[in-house]
Amino acid sequence: MSNFLNSFDISGYGLSAQRVRVNTISQNIANAQTTRTDEGGPYRRKEVVFKAINFNQEFNKALNSMTDSAKYSDPLNEGDFGKKVNPAIMSVIVDKISRDDREPKLKFEPNHPDADANGYVAYPNINPVIEMADLVEATRSYQANVAAFQSSKDMANSAISLLQ
């Protein structure tokens, strides 16, 4: 039974990671023409970096770091408490959101309020075609995680209906 729950968790982490990626891509598209930021200069493209994690190891590490928490016990009393899961259950998290520090695109627009002394305006180094391709890929990954979650749910419901 715990394998069903693990697949729900893994799909959930995948959904969360892809949602962060879609939000970051949306932010890039929205700021494709932004020439002013609080940091100064044009907006800088951002990119999400994912990291695979051993789900059970991270969960147990977090649980052990809490001194006031009760010890984990097998709530279903399946008798497999304390047994090592093999293979490790790998999930995904967002490791960091990196900033692309390539040179901005310069356009000659002498009448623009952000033009430099030579009449050039620095625009973000964002290519809308690349952002849309990344958005389609992130959307497909999100849909694949939803399909995996739905399949796990259907399997669990089928198993429950057998017991009725």
Side-chain angles (χ1 to χ4, degrees):
M1 185 66 179
S2 64
N3 288 336
F4 283 123
L5 298 178
N6 289 338
S7 62
F8 290 141
D9 289 334
I10 291 169
S11 294
Y13 275 88
L15 289 169
S16 177
Q18 293 302 329
R19 190 190 62 215
V20 170
R21 186 174 176 209
V22 167
N23 287 343
T24 303
I25 293 168
S26 298
Q27 184 179 346
N28 288 338
I29 293 170
N31 287 293
Q33 299 295 318
T34 302
T35 57
R36 293 180 192 173
T37 61
D38 291 340
E39 304 164 346
Y43 174 81
R44 300 289 181 164
R45 182 177 185 269
K46 294 182 175 69
E47 193 167 8
V48 177
V49 178
F50 293 147
K51 178 181 175 183
I53 61 163
N54 183 331
F55 182 76
N56 284 343
Q57 186 179 28
E58 293 296 321
F59 177 73
N60 287 329
K61 189 187 308 178
L63 196 62
N64 289 334
S65 68
M66 296 180 219
T67 56
D68 295 341
S69 65
K71 293 285 184 190
Y72 173 78
S73 63
D74 187 0
L76 300 176
N77 196 18
E78 295 175 316
D80 60 352
F81 176 72
K83 291 184 180 176
K84 185 176 181 181
V85 176
N86 192 14
I89 299 169
M90 302 301 287
S91 190
V92 64
I93 60 169
V94 173
D95 189 34
K96 66 179 179 179
I97 297 176
S98 64
R99 191 176 83 169
D100 186 354
D101 284 330
R102 287 182 295 165
E103 290 294 317
K105 293 186 282 186
L106 295 177
K107 284 187 181 177
F108 184 70
E109 294 180 10
N111 295 329
H112 194 284
D114 292 329
D116 63 8
N118 298 323
Y120 286 96
V121 179
Y123 281 95
N125 54 356
I126 295 172
N127 184 342
V129 175
I130 292 173
E131 298 300 326
M132 289 304 296
D134 287 348
L135 183 62
V136 169
E137 182 184 323
T139 303
R140 297 282 187 238
S141 295
Y142 191 90
Q143 290 170 342
N145 279 298
V146 169
F149 190 93
Q150 187 65 41
S151 294
S152 296
K153 181 179 153 190
D154 292 343
M155 290 172 62
N157 282 336
S158 296
I160 290 170
S161 69
L162 284 174
L163 300 174
Q164 292 176 346

PDB file of all heavy atoms in Angstrom, residues 22-45:
ATOM      1  N   VAL A  22       6.773  26.642 -14.994  1.00  0.00           N
ATOM      2  CA  VAL A  22       5.814  27.401 -15.806  1.00  0.00           C
ATOM      3  C   VAL A  22       5.725  28.839 -15.299  1.00  0.00           C
ATOM      4  O   VAL A  22       5.685  29.787 -16.100  1.00  0.00           O
ATOM      5  CB  VAL A  22       4.428  26.711 -15.803  1.00  0.00           C
ATOM      6  CG1 VAL A  22       3.353  27.620 -16.367  1.00  0.00           C
ATOM      7  CG2 VAL A  22       4.485  25.406 -16.583  1.00  0.00           C
ATOM      8  N   ASN A  23       5.712  29.028 -13.993  1.00  0.00           N
ATOM      9  CA  ASN A  23       5.668  30.390 -13.441  1.00  0.00           C
ATOM     10  C   ASN A  23       6.899  31.194 -13.844  1.00  0.00           C
ATOM     11  O   ASN A  23       6.796  32.386 -14.165  1.00  0.00           O
ATOM     12  CB  ASN A  23       5.565  30.337 -11.911  1.00  0.00           C
ATOM     13  CG  ASN A  23       4.207  29.894 -11.435  1.00  0.00           C
ATOM     14  OD1 ASN A  23       3.236  29.917 -12.184  1.00  0.00           O
ATOM     15  ND2 ASN A  23       4.130  29.477 -10.184  1.00  0.00           N
ATOM     16  N   THR A  24       8.057  30.558 -13.830  1.00  0.00           N
ATOM     17  CA  THR A  24       9.290  31.254 -14.206  1.00  0.00           C
ATOM     18  C   THR A  24       9.278  31.617 -15.689  1.00  0.00           C
ATOM     19  O   THR A  24       9.672  32.733 -16.072  1.00  0.00           O
ATOM     20  CB  THR A  24      10.507  30.371 -13.870  1.00  0.00           C
ATOM     21  OG1 THR A  24      10.471  30.053 -12.486  1.00  0.00           O
ATOM     22  CG2 THR A  24      11.804  31.080 -14.199  1.00  0.00           C
ATOM     23  N   ILE A  25       8.818  30.700 -16.529  1.00  0.00           N
ATOM     24  CA  ILE A  25       8.722  30.988 -17.968  1.00  0.00           C
ATOM     25  C   ILE A  25       7.731  32.119 -18.214  1.00  0.00           C
ATOM     26  O   ILE A  25       7.995  33.028 -19.010  1.00  0.00           O
ATOM     27  CB  ILE A  25       8.333  29.713 -18.743  1.00  0.00           C
ATOM     28  CG1 ILE A  25       9.466  28.689 -18.676  1.00  0.00           C
ATOM     29  CG2 ILE A  25       7.989  30.043 -20.185  1.00  0.00           C
ATOM     30  CD1 ILE A  25       9.068  27.304 -19.156  1.00  0.00           C
ATOM     31  N   SER A  26       6.605  32.096 -17.508  1.00  0.00           N
ATOM     32  CA  SER A  26       5.615  33.177 -17.643  1.00  0.00           C
ATOM     33  C   SER A  26       6.214  34.511 -17.244  1.00  0.00           C
ATOM     34  O   SER A  26       5.968  35.538 -17.888  1.00  0.00           O
ATOM     35  CB  SER A  26       4.391  32.882 -16.781  1.00  0.00           C
ATOM     36  OG  SER A  26       3.772  31.707 -17.184  1.00  0.00           O
ATOM     37  N   GLN A  27       7.004  34.490 -16.188  1.00  0.00           N
ATOM     38  CA  GLN A  27       7.682  35.710 -15.737  1.00  0.00           C
ATOM     39  C   GLN A  27       8.639  36.217 -16.822  1.00  0.00           C
ATOM     40  O   GLN A  27       8.709  37.421 -17.083  1.00  0.00           O
ATOM     41  CB  GLN A  27       8.442  35.400 -14.447  1.00  0.00           C
ATOM     42  CG  GLN A  27       9.115  36.569 -13.808  1.00  0.00           C
ATOM     43  CD  GLN A  27       9.815  36.149 -12.519  1.00  0.00           C
ATOM     44  OE1 GLN A  27       9.589  35.073 -11.986  1.00  0.00           O
ATOM     45  NE2 GLN A  27      10.685  36.997 -12.039  1.00  0.00           N
ATOM     46  N   ASN A  28       9.360  35.305 -17.458  1.00  0.00           N
ATOM     47  CA  ASN A  28      10.281  35.701 -18.528  1.00  0.00           C
ATOM     48  C   ASN A  28       9.529  36.315 -19.703  1.00  0.00           C
ATOM     49  O   ASN A  28       9.952  37.340 -20.247  1.00  0.00           O
ATOM     50  CB  ASN A  28      11.089  34.489 -19.011  1.00  0.00           C
ATOM     51  CG  ASN A  28      12.116  34.041 -17.998  1.00  0.00           C
ATOM     52  OD1 ASN A  28      12.531  34.800 -17.134  1.00  0.00           O
ATOM     53  ND2 ASN A  28      12.537  32.798 -18.117  1.00  0.00           N
ATOM     54  N   ILE A  29       8.418  35.693 -20.097  1.00  0.00           N
ATOM     55  CA  ILE A  29       7.643  36.202 -21.234  1.00  0.00           C
ATOM     56  C   ILE A  29       7.050  37.570 -20.894  1.00  0.00           C
ATOM     57  O   ILE A  29       7.076  38.495 -21.712  1.00  0.00           O
ATOM     58  CB  ILE A  29       6.544  35.199 -21.631  1.00  0.00           C
ATOM     59  CG1 ILE A  29       7.177  33.929 -22.202  1.00  0.00           C
ATOM     60  CG2 ILE A  29       5.572  35.812 -22.632  1.00  0.00           C
ATOM     61  CD1 ILE A  29       6.198  32.788 -22.400  1.00  0.00           C
ATOM     62  N   ALA A  30       6.539  37.704 -19.674  1.00  0.00           N
ATOM     63  CA  ALA A  30       5.920  38.968 -19.271  1.00  0.00           C
ATOM     64  C   ALA A  30       6.926  40.116 -19.250  1.00  0.00           C
ATOM     65  O   ALA A  30       6.574  41.267 -19.511  1.00  0.00           O
ATOM     66  CB  ALA A  30       5.264  38.814 -17.902  1.00  0.00           C
ATOM     67  N   ASN A  31       8.183  39.796 -18.949  1.00  0.00           N
ATOM     68  CA  ASN A  31       9.202  40.839 -18.832  1.00  0.00           C
ATOM     69  C   ASN A  31      10.123  40.915 -20.047  1.00  0.00           C
ATOM     70  O   ASN A  31      11.232  41.457 -19.949  1.00  0.00           O
ATOM     71  CB  ASN A  31      10.036  40.607 -17.571  1.00  0.00           C
ATOM     72  CG  ASN A  31       9.266  40.951 -16.328  1.00  0.00           C
ATOM     73  OD1 ASN A  31       8.957  42.112 -16.095  1.00  0.00           O
ATOM     74  ND2 ASN A  31       8.930  39.940 -15.548  1.00  0.00           N
ATOM     75  N   ALA A  32       9.691  40.401 -21.174  1.00  0.00           N
ATOM     76  CA  ALA A  32      10.543  40.366 -22.366  1.00  0.00           C
ATOM     77  C   ALA A  32      10.930  41.762 -22.859  1.00  0.00           C
ATOM     78  O   ALA A  32      11.930  41.921 -23.549  1.00  0.00           O
ATOM     79  CB  ALA A  32       9.862  39.588 -23.484  1.00  0.00           C
ATOM     80  N   GLN A  33      10.145  42.778 -22.508  1.00  0.00           N
ATOM     81  CA  GLN A  33      10.435  44.145 -22.960  1.00  0.00           C
ATOM     82  C   GLN A  33      10.764  45.082 -21.799  1.00  0.00           C
ATOM     83  O   GLN A  33      10.773  46.297 -21.976  1.00  0.00           O
ATOM     84  CB  GLN A  33       9.234  44.693 -23.736  1.00  0.00           C
ATOM     85  CG  GLN A  33       8.880  43.900 -24.972  1.00  0.00           C
ATOM     86  CD  GLN A  33       9.978  43.952 -26.018  1.00  0.00           C
ATOM     87  OE1 GLN A  33      10.568  45.000 -26.257  1.00  0.00           O
ATOM     88  NE2 GLN A  33      10.264  42.803 -26.621  1.00  0.00           N
ATOM     89  N   THR A  34      11.025  44.526 -20.606  1.00  0.00           N
ATOM     90  CA  THR A  34      11.278  45.344 -19.428  1.00  0.00           C
ATOM     91  C   THR A  34      12.703  45.908 -19.457  1.00  0.00           C
ATOM     92  O   THR A  34      13.671  45.142 -19.467  1.00  0.00           O
ATOM     93  CB  THR A  34      11.072  44.512 -18.148  1.00  0.00           C
ATOM     94  OG1 THR A  34       9.733  44.014 -18.146  1.00  0.00           O
ATOM     95  CG2 THR A  34      11.308  45.341 -16.908  1.00  0.00           C
ATOM     96  N   THR A  35      12.798  47.197 -19.460  1.00  0.00           N
ATOM     97  CA  THR A  35      14.114  47.834 -19.517  1.00  0.00           C
ATOM     98  C   THR A  35      14.563  48.396 -18.173  1.00  0.00           C
ATOM     99  O   THR A  35      15.706  48.803 -18.033  1.00  0.00           O
ATOM    100  CB  THR A  35      14.101  48.979 -20.547  1.00  0.00           C
ATOM    101  OG1 THR A  35      13.073  49.913 -20.188  1.00  0.00           O
ATOM    102  CG2 THR A  35      13.838  48.450 -21.945  1.00  0.00           C
ATOM    103  N   ARG A  36      13.638  48.407 -17.211  1.00  0.00           N
ATOM    104  CA  ARG A  36      13.986  48.941 -15.886  1.00  0.00           C
ATOM    105  C   ARG A  36      13.659  47.906 -14.815  1.00  0.00           C
ATOM    106  O   ARG A  36      12.564  47.345 -14.792  1.00  0.00           O
ATOM    107  CB  ARG A  36      13.173  50.191 -15.551  1.00  0.00           C
ATOM    108  CG  ARG A  36      13.467  51.363 -16.380  1.00  0.00           C
ATOM    109  CD  ARG A  36      12.613  52.536 -15.947  1.00  0.00           C
ATOM    110  NE  ARG A  36      12.694  53.595 -16.945  1.00  0.00           N
ATOM    111  CZ  ARG A  36      11.969  54.675 -16.910  1.00  0.00           C
ATOM    112  NH1 ARG A  36      11.099  54.852 -15.940  1.00  0.00           N
ATOM    113  NH2 ARG A  36      12.110  55.598 -17.835  1.00  0.00           N
ATOM    114  N   THR A  37      14.593  47.669 -13.900  1.00  0.00           N
ATOM    115  CA  THR A  37      14.350  46.805 -12.748  1.00  0.00           C
ATOM    116  C   THR A  37      14.849  47.517 -11.499  1.00  0.00           C
ATOM    117  O   THR A  37      15.544  48.538 -11.593  1.00  0.00           O
ATOM    118  CB  THR A  37      15.092  45.456 -12.880  1.00  0.00           C
ATOM    119  OG1 THR A  37      16.489  45.709 -12.952  1.00  0.00           O
ATOM    120  CG2 THR A  37      14.627  44.687 -14.102  1.00  0.00           C
ATOM    121  N   ASP A  38      14.513  46.966 -10.340  1.00  0.00           N
ATOM    122  CA  ASP A  38      14.996  47.549  -9.086  1.00  0.00           C
ATOM    123  C   ASP A  38      16.511  47.436  -8.966  1.00  0.00           C
ATOM    124  O   ASP A  38      17.162  48.254  -8.325  1.00  0.00           O
ATOM    125  CB  ASP A  38      14.343  46.860  -7.894  1.00  0.00           C
ATOM    126  CG  ASP A  38      12.860  47.185  -7.783  1.00  0.00           C
ATOM    127  OD1 ASP A  38      12.430  48.217  -8.365  1.00  0.00           O
ATOM    128  OD2 ASP A  38      12.137  46.417  -7.122  1.00  0.00           O
ATOM    129  N   GLU A  39      17.073  46.384  -9.573  1.00  0.00           N
ATOM    130  CA  GLU A  39      18.522  46.179  -9.541  1.00  0.00           C
ATOM    131  C   GLU A  39      19.245  47.139 -10.493  1.00  0.00           C
ATOM    132  O   GLU A  39      20.454  47.290 -10.422  1.00  0.00           O
ATOM    133  CB  GLU A  39      18.867  44.749  -9.949  1.00  0.00           C
ATOM    134  CG  GLU A  39      18.187  43.706  -9.111  1.00  0.00           C
ATOM    135  CD  GLU A  39      18.225  42.332  -9.751  1.00  0.00           C
ATOM    136  OE1 GLU A  39      18.536  42.223 -10.956  1.00  0.00           O
ATOM    137  OE2 GLU A  39      17.934  41.374  -9.043  1.00  0.00           O
ATOM    138  N   GLY A  40      18.479  47.723 -11.411  1.00  0.00           N
ATOM    139  CA  GLY A  40      19.059  48.568 -12.447  1.00  0.00           C
ATOM    140  C   GLY A  40      19.255  47.770 -13.714  1.00  0.00           C
ATOM    141  O   GLY A  40      19.549  46.585 -13.675  1.00  0.00           O
ATOM    142  N   GLY A  41      19.066  48.408 -14.846  1.00  0.00           N
ATOM    143  CA  GLY A  41      19.217  47.739 -16.134  1.00  0.00           C
ATOM    144  C   GLY A  41      18.004  46.916 -16.495  1.00  0.00           C
ATOM    145  O   GLY A  41      16.985  46.957 -15.801  1.00  0.00           O
ATOM    146  N   PRO A  42      18.116  46.149 -17.587  1.00  0.00           N
ATOM    147  CA  PRO A  42      16.965  45.368 -18.045  1.00  0.00           C
ATOM    148  C   PRO A  42      16.746  44.128 -17.192  1.00  0.00           C
ATOM    149  O   PRO A  42      17.619  43.717 -16.425  1.00  0.00           O
ATOM    150  CB  PRO A  42      17.358  44.985 -19.469  1.00  0.00           C
ATOM    151  CG  PRO A  42      18.843  44.916 -19.428  1.00  0.00           C
ATOM    152  CD  PRO A  42      19.271  45.995 -18.468  1.00  0.00           C
ATOM    153  N   TYR A  43      15.555  43.544 -17.348  1.00  0.00           N
ATOM    154  CA  TYR A  43      15.226  42.293 -16.690  1.00  0.00           C
ATOM    155  C   TYR A  43      16.177  41.201 -17.178  1.00  0.00           C
ATOM    156  O   TYR A  43      16.575  41.185 -18.344  1.00  0.00           O
ATOM    157  CB  TYR A  43      13.773  41.919 -17.024  1.00  0.00           C
ATOM    158  CG  TYR A  43      13.332  40.579 -16.526  1.00  0.00           C
ATOM    159  CD1 TYR A  43      12.929  40.411 -15.219  1.00  0.00           C
ATOM    160  CD2 TYR A  43      13.332  39.487 -17.379  1.00  0.00           C
ATOM    161  CE1 TYR A  43      12.527  39.168 -14.767  1.00  0.00           C
ATOM    162  CE2 TYR A  43      12.929  38.249 -16.936  1.00  0.00           C
ATOM    163  CZ  TYR A  43      12.533  38.095 -15.628  1.00  0.00           C
ATOM    164  OH  TYR A  43      12.141  36.870 -15.185  1.00  0.00           O
ATOM    165  N   ARG A  44      16.544  40.290 -16.288  1.00  0.00           N
ATOM    166  CA  ARG A  44      17.417  39.169 -16.640  1.00  0.00           C
ATOM    167  C   ARG A  44      16.604  37.891 -16.656  1.00  0.00           C
ATOM    168  O   ARG A  44      15.843  37.606 -15.725  1.00  0.00           O
ATOM    169  CB  ARG A  44      18.563  39.028 -15.625  1.00  0.00           C
ATOM    170  CG  ARG A  44      19.453  40.219 -15.526  1.00  0.00           C
ATOM    171  CD  ARG A  44      20.290  40.332 -16.752  1.00  0.00           C
ATOM    172  NE  ARG A  44      21.174  41.494 -16.629  1.00  0.00           N
ATOM    173  CZ  ARG A  44      22.216  41.692 -17.381  1.00  0.00           C
ATOM    174  NH1 ARG A  44      22.498  40.846 -18.337  1.00  0.00           N
ATOM    175  NH2 ARG A  44      22.959  42.754 -17.203  1.00  0.00           N
ATOM    176  N   ARG A  45      16.771  37.110 -17.722  1.00  0.00           N
ATOM    177  CA  ARG A  45      16.063  35.840 -17.883  1.00  0.00           C
ATOM    178  C   ARG A  45      16.404  34.907 -16.736  1.00  0.00           C
ATOM    179  O   ARG A  45      17.541  34.849 -16.279  1.00  0.00           O
ATOM    180  CB  ARG A  45      16.455  35.202 -19.210  1.00  0.00           C
ATOM    181  CG  ARG A  45      15.753  33.901 -19.498  1.00  0.00           C
ATOM    182  CD  ARG A  45      16.177  33.395 -20.879  1.00  0.00           C
ATOM    183  NE  ARG A  45      15.428  32.223 -21.216  1.00  0.00           N
ATOM    184  CZ  ARG A  45      15.833  30.983 -20.937  1.00  0.00           C
ATOM    185  NH1 ARG A  45      16.986  30.782 -20.359  1.00  0.00           N
ATOM    186  NH2 ARG A  45      15.081  29.958 -21.262  1.00  0.00           N
TER     187      ARG A  45
END
